[in-house]
Amino acid sequence: MASRPHMRKVRSVDTAPECALRKLLNLWGFTGYRLYRSDLPGKPDIAYIRRRKAIFLHGCFWHCHNCRAGRNVPQTNLSYWMPKLARNKSRDRANL
């Protein structure tokens, strides 16, 4: 039986793209940011409070981007996944 990924293995913080972005920001001299500010709309991944700037690093699947990864449709449990992905998109529009 082939091993399949489980949702508990999907990280919500400190993902590889987030770490790569933070490394670039530090190399470019953009320091002084805060991570995952839950008191801000949308809980941005990186927030510069004094500059009033926020960076959201959205995964293509979770936020239904118009690319190959974002157009993937789950194969099972569609009654759960489709409303969840639709809520993510509407929340993104509201928080933008």
Side-chain angles (χ1 to χ4, degrees):
M1 184 169 157
S3 175
R4 294 190 301 184
H6 297 282
M7 290 304 298
R8 70 176 152 236
K9 291 184 179 181
V10 177
R11 299 179 61 105
S12 61
V13 297
D14 295 332
T15 62
E18 288 176 3
C19 291
L21 176 62
R22 291 197 308 250
K23 186 174 183 178
L24 283 174
L25 289 172
N26 286 327
L27 284 173
W28 293 335
F30 294 106
T31 58
Y33 53 80
R34 297 291 174 252
L35 302 175
Y36 317 116
R37 291 292 300 259
S38 60
D39 59 331
L40 297 176
K43 192 176 176 185
D45 297 305
I46 295 174
Y48 289 96
I49 303 302
R50 282 184 283 140
R51 296 179 184 166
R52 299 179 56 91
K53 304 290 182 208
I55 299 173
F56 294 90
L57 191 61
H58 289 163
C60 294
F61 170 76
W62 297 107
H63 299 272
C64 301
H65 294 162
N66 193 22
C67 67
R68 184 175 47 148
R71 288 190 300 262
N72 285 342
V73 177
Q75 306 258 329
T76 59
N77 204 5
L78 290 177
S79 62
Y80 169 79
W81 282 109
M82 298 317 283
K84 178 173 181 49
L85 295 174
R87 283 192 312 269
N88 286 352
K89 285 177 68 171
S90 67
R91 187 183 64 233
D92 290 344
R93 281 193 298 273
N95 290 325
L96 188 60

XYZ file of all heavy atoms in Angstrom:
795
model
N 0.840 -1.177 0.000
C 0.000 0.000 0.000
C 0.882 1.237 0.000
O 1.798 1.378 0.809
C -0.897 -0.032 1.231
C -1.859 1.091 1.276
S -3.049 0.725 2.585
C -3.607 2.326 2.930
N 0.616 2.147 -0.892
C 1.416 3.362 -1.021
C 1.086 4.338 0.098
O -0.048 4.428 0.557
C 1.149 4.017 -2.375
N 2.090 5.051 0.529
C 1.901 6.042 1.574
C 1.245 7.283 0.983
O 1.634 7.758 -0.082
C 3.255 6.397 2.170
O 3.107 7.433 3.091
N 0.217 7.799 1.672
C -0.459 9.007 1.227
C -0.268 10.096 2.273
O -0.201 9.808 3.462
C -1.948 8.741 1.023
C -2.195 7.769 -0.107
C -3.624 7.688 -0.480
N -4.439 7.262 0.658
C -5.736 7.040 0.578
N -6.365 7.187 -0.550
N -6.415 6.668 1.638
N -0.178 11.357 1.836
C 0.012 12.435 2.806
C -1.229 12.611 3.681
O -2.345 12.355 3.258
C 0.251 13.660 1.936
C -0.348 13.330 0.634
C -0.245 11.841 0.479
N -1.025 13.013 4.891
C -2.107 13.272 5.825
C -2.133 14.755 6.149
O -1.103 15.421 6.181
C -1.924 12.462 7.106
C -1.973 10.989 6.868
N -3.143 10.305 6.683
C -0.994 10.076 6.762
C -2.892 9.031 6.484
N -1.570 8.862 6.525
N -3.316 15.271 6.438
C -3.465 16.698 6.684
C -2.637 17.162 7.884
O -2.191 18.295 7.920
C -4.941 17.046 6.910
C -5.775 16.926 5.663
S -5.155 17.929 4.311
C -5.302 19.554 4.982
N -2.411 16.314 8.860
C -1.645 16.752 10.024
C -0.189 17.033 9.681
O 0.511 17.689 10.437
C -1.757 15.750 11.149
C -1.052 14.464 10.895
C -1.136 13.550 12.113
N -1.061 12.179 11.650
C -1.953 11.253 11.890
N -3.011 11.544 12.598
N -1.813 10.044 11.438
N 0.270 16.556 8.544
C 1.646 16.825 8.121
C 1.769 18.145 7.364
O 2.872 18.593 7.105
C 2.157 15.685 7.243
C 2.363 14.397 8.009
C 2.963 13.346 7.130
C 3.191 12.065 7.906
N 3.797 11.037 7.085
N 0.652 18.753 7.002
C 0.667 20.023 6.284
C 0.883 21.135 7.301
O 0.071 21.335 8.199
C -0.648 20.245 5.514
C -0.655 21.600 4.833
C -0.857 19.138 4.500
N 1.975 21.832 7.152
C 2.326 22.884 8.102
C 1.539 24.154 7.809
O 1.273 24.478 6.663
C 3.813 23.169 8.026
C 4.675 21.974 8.382
C 6.127 22.336 8.265
N 6.450 23.412 9.180
C 7.118 23.243 10.309
N 7.530 22.055 10.651
N 7.385 24.261 11.083
N 1.223 24.892 8.870
C 0.532 26.163 8.677
C 1.467 27.351 8.921
O 1.162 28.462 8.502
C -0.680 26.258 9.600
O -0.272 26.196 10.941
N 2.567 27.126 9.607
C 3.547 28.188 9.842
C 4.938 27.650 9.520
O 5.173 26.449 9.528
C 3.513 28.706 11.297
C 2.179 29.342 11.610
C 3.831 27.625 12.283
N 5.836 28.567 9.229
C 7.230 28.225 8.910
C 7.346 27.217 7.774
O 8.142 26.282 7.818
C 7.961 27.692 10.150
C 8.104 28.749 11.225
O 8.141 29.943 10.861
O 8.177 28.393 12.409
N 6.552 27.420 6.735
C 6.645 26.560 5.561
C 7.893 26.935 4.768
O 8.493 27.991 4.992
C 5.400 26.707 4.670
O 5.317 28.056 4.208
C 4.126 26.344 5.435
N 8.281 26.096 3.839
C 9.480 26.363 3.037
C 9.372 27.687 2.270
O 10.334 28.479 2.270
C 9.757 25.200 2.094
N 8.239 28.004 1.606
C 8.155 29.304 0.929
C 8.246 30.485 1.900
O 8.859 31.500 1.579
C 6.791 29.272 0.239
C 6.468 27.831 0.091
C 7.076 27.152 1.269
N 7.649 30.355 3.084
C 7.735 31.438 4.068
C 9.170 31.640 4.532
O 9.642 32.777 4.640
C 6.849 31.142 5.276
C 5.377 31.254 5.006
C 4.544 30.847 6.203
O 5.121 30.528 7.265
O 3.321 30.842 6.074
N 9.867 30.573 4.820
C 11.264 30.683 5.261
C 12.133 31.278 4.166
O 13.022 32.099 4.445
C 11.783 29.316 5.698
S 11.021 28.715 7.217
N 11.895 30.899 2.923
C 12.660 31.452 1.804
C 12.394 32.949 1.659
O 13.324 33.739 1.433
C 12.315 30.719 0.516
N 11.131 33.368 1.807
C 10.797 34.782 1.707
C 11.451 35.575 2.837
O 12.022 36.646 2.607
C 9.283 34.982 1.738
C 8.811 36.429 1.742
C 9.262 37.152 0.479
C 7.306 36.496 1.899
N 11.395 35.057 4.054
C 12.018 35.755 5.181
C 13.525 35.854 4.990
O 14.137 36.877 5.328
C 11.672 35.048 6.488
C 10.208 35.184 6.838
C 9.908 34.876 8.272
N 10.410 33.628 8.761
C 9.651 32.569 9.071
N 8.351 32.616 8.892
N 10.198 31.486 9.548
N 14.143 34.820 4.438
C 15.577 34.864 4.177
C 15.907 35.966 3.168
O 16.864 36.738 3.352
C 16.048 33.509 3.659
C 17.533 33.395 3.500
C 17.929 31.992 3.118
C 19.426 31.850 3.038
N 19.845 30.486 2.722
N 15.105 36.070 2.108
C 15.313 37.144 1.123
C 15.115 38.517 1.746
O 15.894 39.439 1.488
C 14.358 36.974 -0.060
C 14.720 35.912 -1.082
C 13.617 35.769 -2.112
C 16.027 36.261 -1.751
N 14.050 38.671 2.538
C 13.815 39.966 3.178
C 14.993 40.365 4.052
O 15.408 41.528 4.050
C 12.523 39.917 3.999
C 11.221 39.862 3.201
C 10.038 39.627 4.130
C 11.025 41.119 2.383
N 15.530 39.415 4.794
C 16.689 39.722 5.643
C 17.915 40.069 4.816
O 18.664 40.994 5.155
C 16.992 38.549 6.572
C 15.990 38.444 7.700
O 15.492 39.455 8.177
N 15.677 37.237 8.109
N 18.138 39.341 3.713
C 19.280 39.650 2.850
C 19.167 41.043 2.253
O 20.174 41.731 2.071
C 19.384 38.608 1.728
C 19.945 37.247 2.114
C 19.832 36.271 0.953
C 21.395 37.376 2.546
N 17.950 41.462 1.931
C 17.722 42.781 1.337
C 17.668 43.886 2.375
O 17.501 45.053 2.036
C 16.448 42.786 0.511
C 16.512 41.930 -0.712
C 17.620 41.560 -1.413
C 15.414 41.326 -1.379
N 17.277 40.761 -2.470
C 15.915 40.602 -2.480
C 14.055 41.308 -1.167
C 15.124 39.890 -3.352
C 13.255 40.602 -2.038
C 13.788 39.906 -3.116
N 17.776 43.530 3.654
C 17.792 44.531 4.704
C 16.424 44.904 5.247
O 16.308 45.867 6.010
N 15.388 44.202 4.873
C 14.043 44.483 5.377
C 13.812 43.681 6.650
O 13.229 42.604 6.643
C 12.974 44.134 4.335
C 13.021 44.998 3.126
C 13.503 44.514 1.925
C 12.586 46.309 3.182
C 13.548 45.305 0.805
C 12.623 47.117 2.066
C 13.114 46.619 0.875
N 14.276 44.226 7.768
C 14.126 43.547 9.050
C 13.078 44.284 9.873
O 12.541 45.308 9.448
C 15.460 43.521 9.803
O 15.908 44.858 9.975
C 16.504 42.725 9.037
N 12.803 43.793 11.057
C 11.852 44.459 11.940
C 10.412 44.076 11.678
O 9.501 44.781 12.098
N 10.191 42.963 11.016
C 8.812 42.534 10.757
C 8.331 41.624 11.867
O 9.091 41.117 12.677
C 8.709 41.813 9.413
C 9.679 40.682 9.225
C 9.453 39.429 9.775
C 10.842 40.869 8.487
C 10.342 38.396 9.606
C 11.748 39.843 8.316
C 11.492 38.604 8.863
O 12.382 37.581 8.697
N 7.025 41.442 11.933
C 6.395 40.536 12.878
C 5.671 39.451 12.095
O 5.189 39.687 10.998
C 5.395 41.271 13.782
C 6.040 42.328 14.649
C 6.912 41.672 15.710
N 7.647 42.655 16.477
C 8.945 42.852 16.373
N 9.662 42.169 15.513
N 9.551 43.742 17.124
N 5.596 38.263 12.690
C 4.994 37.121 12.020
C 3.599 36.836 12.549
O 3.356 36.927 13.753
C 5.865 35.873 12.218
C 7.305 35.971 11.717
C 8.061 34.711 12.097
C 7.327 36.178 10.227
N 2.684 36.488 11.649
C 1.362 35.943 11.976
C 0.602 36.802 12.976
O 0.145 36.324 14.004
C 1.497 34.512 12.503
C 2.461 33.678 11.716
C 3.617 33.182 12.301
C 2.244 33.407 10.376
C 4.519 32.426 11.579
C 3.138 32.660 9.638
C 4.276 32.171 10.253
O 5.168 31.434 9.533
N 0.428 38.075 12.681
C -0.273 38.978 13.581
C -1.768 38.717 13.523
O -2.447 39.111 12.578
C 0.020 40.428 13.208
C 1.434 40.882 13.478
C 1.738 40.953 14.965
N 0.859 41.867 15.651
C 1.190 43.089 16.010
N 2.390 43.545 15.767
N 0.319 43.858 16.633
N -2.285 38.047 14.526
C -3.705 37.690 14.534
C -4.593 38.892 14.823
O -5.806 38.825 14.620
C -3.970 36.582 15.550
O -3.608 37.005 16.837
N -4.017 40.001 15.281
C -4.820 41.194 15.531
C -5.045 42.019 14.260
O -5.779 43.001 14.288
C -4.171 42.060 16.614
C -2.763 42.509 16.256
O -2.071 41.777 15.514
O -2.346 43.587 16.719
N -4.451 41.617 13.147
C -4.639 42.296 11.867
C -5.576 41.479 10.978
O -5.617 40.252 11.075
C -3.293 42.480 11.161
C -2.287 43.363 11.882
C -0.966 43.373 11.125
C -2.827 44.768 12.028
N -6.319 42.138 10.100
C -7.244 41.413 9.223
C -6.508 40.409 8.346
O -5.506 40.733 7.716
C -7.881 42.505 8.360
C -7.640 43.766 9.091
C -6.393 43.572 9.901
N -6.970 39.184 8.346
C -6.390 38.150 7.510
C -5.188 37.455 8.100
O -4.663 36.537 7.512
N -4.711 37.894 9.254
C -3.527 37.318 9.911
C -2.365 37.198 8.925
O -2.010 36.113 8.472
C -3.860 35.958 10.523
C -2.796 35.437 11.448
C -3.223 34.138 12.091
C -2.118 33.587 12.933
N -2.442 32.279 13.470
N -1.781 38.337 8.535
C -0.708 38.304 7.531
C 0.485 37.478 7.990
O 0.777 37.383 9.177
C -0.326 39.773 7.363
C -0.810 40.443 8.581
C -1.990 39.679 9.074
N 1.163 36.873 7.016
C 2.341 36.070 7.317
C 3.487 36.942 7.823
O 4.231 36.545 8.713
C 2.780 35.300 6.074
C 1.720 34.327 5.614
O 1.301 33.496 6.439
O 1.303 34.405 4.450
N 3.630 38.119 7.241
C 4.674 39.067 7.641
C 4.039 40.444 7.715
O 3.327 40.849 6.791
C 5.840 39.060 6.631
C 6.524 37.693 6.651
C 6.826 40.177 6.923
C 7.581 37.515 5.600
N 4.284 41.155 8.809
C 3.700 42.487 8.976
C 4.760 43.475 9.428
O 5.526 43.205 10.356
C 2.563 42.437 9.996
N 4.809 44.605 8.748
C 5.629 45.738 9.151
C 4.668 46.749 9.758
O 3.992 47.494 9.036
C 6.357 46.345 7.951
C 7.467 45.467 7.416
C 7.239 44.621 6.343
C 8.727 45.500 7.981
C 8.255 43.815 5.851
C 9.752 44.702 7.500
C 9.500 43.869 6.432
O 10.505 43.079 5.964
N 4.584 46.769 11.064
C 3.566 47.548 11.753
C 3.766 49.048 11.534
O 2.834 49.742 11.151
C 3.561 47.214 13.270
C 3.327 45.719 13.465
C 2.517 48.036 14.008
C 2.053 45.193 12.867
N 4.973 49.552 11.761
C 5.212 50.991 11.611
C 5.030 51.451 10.175
O 4.581 52.569 9.931
C 6.602 51.359 12.108
C 6.676 51.431 13.624
C 8.027 51.887 14.114
N 8.961 50.760 14.010
C 10.209 50.858 13.615
N 10.705 52.016 13.280
N 10.974 49.790 13.552
N 5.367 50.619 9.234
C 5.235 50.978 7.815
C 3.822 50.734 7.281
O 3.525 51.081 6.146
C 6.219 50.169 6.972
C 7.649 50.473 7.296
C 8.554 49.624 6.456
N 9.942 49.854 6.846
C 10.929 49.076 6.493
N 10.714 48.025 5.744
N 12.150 49.339 6.889
N 2.997 50.068 8.099
C 1.616 49.734 7.713
C 1.589 48.900 6.430
O 0.830 49.163 5.511
C 0.770 50.983 7.588
C 0.669 51.763 8.891
C -0.159 53.010 8.769
N -1.493 52.777 8.272
C -2.571 52.526 9.026
N -2.442 52.483 10.332
N -3.738 52.341 8.477
N 2.443 47.885 6.395
C 2.533 46.968 5.254
C 2.338 45.542 5.748
O 2.768 45.192 6.843
C 3.891 47.061 4.552
C 4.260 48.442 4.083
C 3.395 48.871 2.937
C 3.826 50.258 2.468
N 2.753 50.993 1.892
N 1.715 44.726 4.921
C 1.499 43.320 5.261
C 1.785 42.469 4.032
O 1.511 42.874 2.901
C 0.067 43.091 5.727
N 2.339 41.294 4.263
C 2.631 40.353 3.188
C 1.897 39.055 3.485
O 2.025 38.485 4.560
C 4.148 40.078 3.080
C 4.896 41.365 2.768
C 4.414 39.016 2.018
C 6.404 41.231 2.805
N 1.090 38.632 2.504
C 0.388 37.364 2.588
C 1.030 36.408 1.589
O 1.146 36.734 0.410
C -1.091 37.528 2.225
C -1.849 38.371 3.208
C -1.950 39.739 3.049
C -2.470 37.784 4.294
C -2.648 40.509 3.949
C -3.174 38.545 5.204
C -3.259 39.913 5.028
N 1.444 35.265 2.050
C 2.040 34.255 1.179
C 1.039 33.109 1.071
O 0.992 32.234 1.931
C 3.377 33.786 1.757
C 4.231 32.941 0.851
C 4.600 33.720 -0.402
C 5.483 32.524 1.574
N 0.221 33.150 0.034
C -0.867 32.190 -0.113
C -0.451 31.006 -0.966
O 0.150 31.174 -2.024
C -2.076 32.850 -0.773
C -2.754 33.825 0.129
N -3.614 34.770 -0.342
C -2.697 33.998 1.462
C -4.077 35.481 0.664
N -3.533 35.036 1.768
N -0.809 29.823 -0.509
C -0.588 28.618 -1.293
C -1.603 28.526 -2.413
O -2.780 28.867 -2.237
N -1.181 28.071 -3.570
C -2.050 28.050 -4.750
C -3.273 27.161 -4.554
O -4.386 27.544 -4.912
C -1.258 27.588 -5.969
S 0.026 28.756 -6.437
N -3.099 25.979 -3.980
C -4.238 25.082 -3.791
C -5.241 25.675 -2.818
O -6.443 25.727 -3.087
C -3.775 23.711 -3.291
C -4.909 22.837 -2.843
C -5.718 22.214 -3.784
C -5.183 22.656 -1.503
C -6.780 21.425 -3.385
C -6.245 21.858 -1.101
C -7.046 21.247 -2.043
N -4.762 26.143 -1.669
C -5.654 26.601 -0.607
C -6.427 27.845 -0.990
O -7.507 28.094 -0.470
C -4.862 26.874 0.670
C -4.218 25.657 1.196
C -2.885 25.358 1.150
C -4.855 24.540 1.818
N -2.663 24.131 1.712
C -3.861 23.611 2.123
C -6.168 24.244 2.136
C -4.135 22.411 2.744
C -6.447 23.046 2.751
C -5.444 22.150 3.054
N -5.887 28.642 -1.892
C -6.520 29.906 -2.239
C -6.999 29.926 -3.683
O -7.346 30.985 -4.204
C -5.570 31.059 -1.933
C -5.233 31.117 -0.476
N -5.997 31.800 0.428
C -4.247 30.524 0.244
C -5.487 31.635 1.643
N -4.424 30.865 1.549
N -7.016 28.771 -4.336
C -7.602 28.579 -5.674
C -7.065 29.572 -6.702
O -7.821 30.228 -7.418
C -9.120 28.648 -5.616
S -9.841 27.435 -4.525
N -5.741 29.690 -6.753
C -5.141 30.564 -7.765
C -5.366 29.994 -9.156
O -5.669 28.816 -9.329
C -3.637 30.710 -7.503
C -3.347 31.419 -6.225
N -2.136 31.346 -5.615
C -4.107 32.223 -5.439
C -2.149 32.073 -4.506
N -3.330 32.600 -4.377
N -5.187 30.829 -10.144
C -5.421 30.417 -11.528
C -4.130 29.865 -12.140
O -3.609 30.395 -13.107
C -5.954 31.601 -12.342
C -6.493 31.149 -13.672
O -6.847 29.983 -13.844
N -6.562 32.057 -14.612
N -3.621 28.807 -11.544
C -2.450 28.118 -12.061
C -2.706 26.619 -11.949
O -3.758 26.202 -11.476
C -1.184 28.518 -11.297
S -1.166 27.968 -9.593
N -1.752 25.825 -12.366
C -1.945 24.373 -12.356
C -2.250 23.849 -10.955
O -3.172 23.068 -10.760
C -0.711 23.690 -12.920
C -0.856 22.193 -13.051
C 0.326 21.598 -13.724
N 1.558 22.137 -13.139
C 2.683 21.481 -13.031
N 2.775 20.258 -13.477
N 3.749 22.022 -12.496
N -1.486 24.289 -9.960
C -1.712 23.818 -8.587
C -3.026 24.348 -8.020
O -3.705 23.657 -7.262
C -0.553 24.230 -7.695
N -3.398 25.563 -8.389
C -4.621 26.164 -7.873
C -5.884 25.594 -8.490
O -6.967 25.679 -7.909
N -5.768 25.019 -9.666
C -6.941 24.450 -10.330
C -7.175 22.991 -9.977
O -8.155 22.404 -10.420
C -6.808 24.600 -11.850
C -6.989 26.035 -12.319
C -7.087 26.115 -13.823
N -5.916 25.602 -14.494
C -4.916 26.335 -14.958
N -4.963 27.634 -14.826
N -3.894 25.787 -15.553
N -6.290 22.398 -9.176
C -6.496 21.021 -8.743
C -7.748 20.929 -7.893
O -7.961 21.739 -7.006
C -5.309 20.517 -7.918
C -4.108 20.206 -8.776
O -4.223 20.048 -9.980
N -2.956 20.134 -8.152
N -8.562 19.930 -8.174
C -9.778 19.705 -7.410
C -9.588 18.420 -6.605
O -9.134 17.413 -7.145
C -10.995 19.566 -8.358
C -12.251 19.254 -7.577
C -11.169 20.839 -9.170
N -9.905 18.457 -5.322
C -9.763 17.238 -4.519
C -10.584 16.098 -5.102
O -11.648 16.311 -5.678
C -10.298 17.645 -3.147
C -10.193 19.129 -3.118
C -10.366 19.578 -4.531
N -10.103 14.888 -4.940
C -10.761 13.721 -5.513
C -11.814 13.139 -4.581
O -12.713 12.450 -5.026
C -9.714 12.655 -5.831
C -8.596 13.153 -6.709
C -8.754 12.727 -8.139
O -9.299 11.674 -8.400
N -8.285 13.544 -9.045
N -11.676 13.366 -3.287
C -12.604 12.780 -2.323
C -13.182 13.859 -1.425
O -12.624 14.958 -1.306
C -11.904 11.734 -1.437
O -10.831 12.368 -0.752
C -11.357 10.584 -2.272
N -14.294 13.558 -0.789
C -14.937 14.414 0.197
C -15.209 15.816 -0.344
O -14.936 16.828 0.312
C -14.084 14.473 1.466
C -14.887 14.821 2.685
O -16.105 14.943 2.617
N -14.215 14.994 3.797
N -15.767 15.895 -1.530
C -16.032 17.183 -2.168
C -17.009 18.037 -1.374
O -16.934 19.264 -1.422
C -16.555 16.969 -3.586
C -15.523 16.442 -4.579
C -16.175 16.196 -5.930
C -14.371 17.407 -4.708
N -17.923 17.403 -0.644
C -18.889 18.179 0.140
C -18.186 18.982 1.243
O -18.724 19.974 1.718
C -19.948 17.263 0.745
O -19.342 16.339 1.626
N -17.016 18.570 1.641
C -16.223 19.313 2.617
C -15.309 20.324 1.922
O -15.248 21.495 2.312
C -15.387 18.355 3.465
C -14.346 19.057 4.316
C -14.705 19.686 5.495
C -13.007 19.105 3.925
C -13.763 20.339 6.272
C -12.065 19.757 4.705
C -12.448 20.377 5.874
O -11.510 21.016 6.628
N -14.579 19.873 0.908
C -13.520 20.685 0.308
C -14.030 21.871 -0.491
O -13.457 22.961 -0.412
C -12.619 19.824 -0.568
C -11.667 19.039 0.254
C -11.686 17.694 0.473
C -10.567 19.545 1.001
N -10.668 17.334 1.311
C -9.961 18.453 1.649
C -10.032 20.806 1.203
C -8.859 18.598 2.464
C -8.926 20.948 2.007
C -8.358 19.849 2.634
N -15.071 21.696 -1.271
C -15.513 22.799 -2.128
C -15.991 24.004 -1.314
O -15.589 25.134 -1.601
C -16.570 22.315 -3.122
C -16.026 21.240 -4.076
S -14.366 21.569 -4.740
C -14.731 22.783 -5.957
N -16.835 23.826 -0.289
C -17.199 24.998 0.518
C -15.996 25.607 1.254
O -15.898 26.826 1.394
C -18.216 24.455 1.525
C -18.754 23.222 0.905
C -17.634 22.653 0.085
N -15.064 24.770 1.719
C -13.889 25.276 2.420
C -13.047 26.156 1.506
O -12.641 27.257 1.889
C -13.043 24.123 2.955
C -11.769 24.592 3.646
C -11.050 23.457 4.291
C -9.789 23.905 4.993
N -9.935 25.037 5.881
N -12.795 25.684 0.298
C -11.989 26.469 -0.641
C -12.725 27.742 -1.050
O -12.107 28.797 -1.230
C -11.618 25.612 -1.846
C -10.702 24.422 -1.523
C -10.506 23.556 -2.758
C -9.384 24.866 -0.948
N -14.043 27.675 -1.184
C -14.831 28.868 -1.515
C -14.753 29.888 -0.375
O -14.650 31.097 -0.624
C -16.277 28.487 -1.799
N -14.797 29.420 0.874
C -14.655 30.329 2.022
C -13.278 30.990 2.015
O -13.163 32.183 2.331
C -14.864 29.572 3.335
C -16.289 29.264 3.677
C -16.453 28.783 5.119
N -15.511 27.746 5.513
C -15.721 26.438 5.407
N -16.849 25.994 4.892
N -14.811 25.573 5.822
N -12.243 30.239 1.673
C -10.898 30.822 1.608
C -10.855 31.953 0.594
O -10.301 33.027 0.867
C -9.867 29.759 1.231
C -9.560 28.811 2.363
O -9.991 29.004 3.486
N -8.827 27.762 2.050
N -11.441 31.738 -0.580
C -11.433 32.772 -1.615
C -12.196 34.011 -1.170
O -11.742 35.129 -1.370
C -12.025 32.223 -2.910
C -11.093 31.281 -3.649
C -11.728 30.708 -4.873
C -11.945 31.760 -5.925
N -12.370 31.189 -7.214
N -13.377 33.813 -0.563
C -14.162 34.977 -0.136
C -13.479 35.709 1.003
O -13.506 36.936 1.068
C -15.581 34.551 0.242
O -15.567 33.753 1.385
N -12.826 34.969 1.914
C -12.089 35.605 3.004
C -10.908 36.414 2.453
O -10.634 37.513 2.915
C -11.609 34.553 3.996
C -10.990 35.141 5.243
C -10.447 34.093 6.176
N -9.349 33.387 5.519
C -9.269 32.075 5.392
N -10.215 31.299 5.863
N -8.234 31.514 4.784
N -10.236 35.888 1.439
C -9.125 36.611 0.819
C -9.609 37.936 0.230
O -8.955 38.970 0.388
C -8.462 35.779 -0.271
C -7.698 34.601 0.287
O -7.430 34.582 1.503
O -7.390 33.692 -0.508
N -10.752 37.895 -0.466
C -11.294 39.135 -1.055
C -11.641 40.146 0.029
O -11.381 41.333 -0.134
C -12.513 38.823 -1.911
C -12.185 38.276 -3.276
C -13.395 38.273 -4.189
N -14.461 37.418 -3.678
C -14.583 36.119 -3.905
N -13.693 35.511 -4.652
N -15.585 35.432 -3.409
N -12.228 39.662 1.131
C -12.627 40.579 2.208
C -11.404 41.192 2.892
O -11.437 42.360 3.300
C -13.483 39.833 3.230
N -10.333 40.424 3.043
C -9.152 40.904 3.750
C -8.186 41.678 2.883
O -7.259 42.298 3.393
C -8.415 39.738 4.406
C -9.188 39.167 5.566
O -9.861 39.895 6.279
N -9.119 37.869 5.748
N -8.365 41.637 1.581
C -7.447 42.327 0.691
C -7.535 43.817 0.914
O -6.610 44.540 0.955
C -7.754 41.995 -0.770
C -6.753 42.508 -1.784
C -5.374 41.944 -1.527
C -7.211 42.167 -3.170
